[in-house]
Amino acid sequence: MKGNRSLFGVLVFLGIIVLTACGGGGASSAPPPPQASTAPVSMTVRDAPPAGITVFSFEVLVTQARLQPGNVPLVTTPIEIEVKQLEVEAAFLNTISVPAGTYTSIDVTFSNPELTFKNDTGAALPAPLNCANGAVCEFKPSLTTTVSFSGAPFPLTIVANTPLGLLVDVNLSSIITDPMGVNFAAAGAMLVT
């Protein structure tokens, strides 16, 4: 009996040494080093409050965002955002490794907007809205728009292993056109910092 306990103790001790030498199953292993020619880029989006418009909800799908030249993806999976909520907080879209280099613009594709608003125009809005004055109405135009932005901070140089964040500021009062249309490509509709 005593010999079996000694043998069992030696086996347990050797097992502990082997597990310690192997790093305990990988729990303490370091993450792989970043590739020398890429940098992590995060993308968020926000909205400045509109003036004189009573919007209760404005949802839109961001289907893609790509840096140009090279068609480098920043958003690869469609993400639904509530634009109205962006007045008080930013929405994180993605972080992805991007090749180091100089980029001259960003293309962002928006689709399937859904707008819930109160008609404060003083008159009924005609078809396709068919919204009486003072009524709360919903508008779901069939729309997919790609907006290209090349103003400051572009051209943008991404340096390897140097994290970067891009903030897309959408302007709801520029996106909603008269009479109650939706145009993401309107002047002043998007600003990137």
Side-chain angles (χ1 to χ4, degrees), residues 7 33 51 74 79 84 90 93 113-114 116 121 146 153 159 167 181:
L7 179 60
L74 295 179
I79 301 168
K84 182 70 177 162
L93 297 181
E114 297 180 15
T116 303
T121 63
T146 299
V159 178
L167 176 65

Side-chain angles (χ1 to χ4, degrees), residues 56-59 113-119 125 128-132 135-141 180:
F56 296 117
S57 173
F58 186 44
E59 296 175 350
E114 297 180 15
L115 174 64
T116 303
F117 65 98
K118 182 178 179 199
N119 179 3
L125 296 172
L129 298 173
N130 298 320
C131 185
V136 174
C137 301
E138 189 172 73
F139 182 49
K140 295 181 180 182
M180 291 303 295

Side-chain angles (χ1 to χ4, degrees), residues 116-176:
T116 303
F117 65 98
K118 182 178 179 199
N119 179 3
D120 290 326
T121 63
L125 296 172
L129 298 173
N130 298 320
C131 185
N133 184 45
V136 174
C137 301
E138 189 172 73
F139 182 49
K140 295 181 180 182
S142 178
L143 174 73
T144 297
T145 302
T146 299
V147 179
S148 183
F149 184 85
S150 59
F154 294 98
L156 177 68
T157 300
I158 295 178
V159 178
N161 300 315
T162 304
L164 177 75
L166 291 175
L167 176 65
V168 176
D169 192 354
V170 294
N171 185 344
L172 194 53
S173 59
S174 294
I175 292 170
I176 298 173

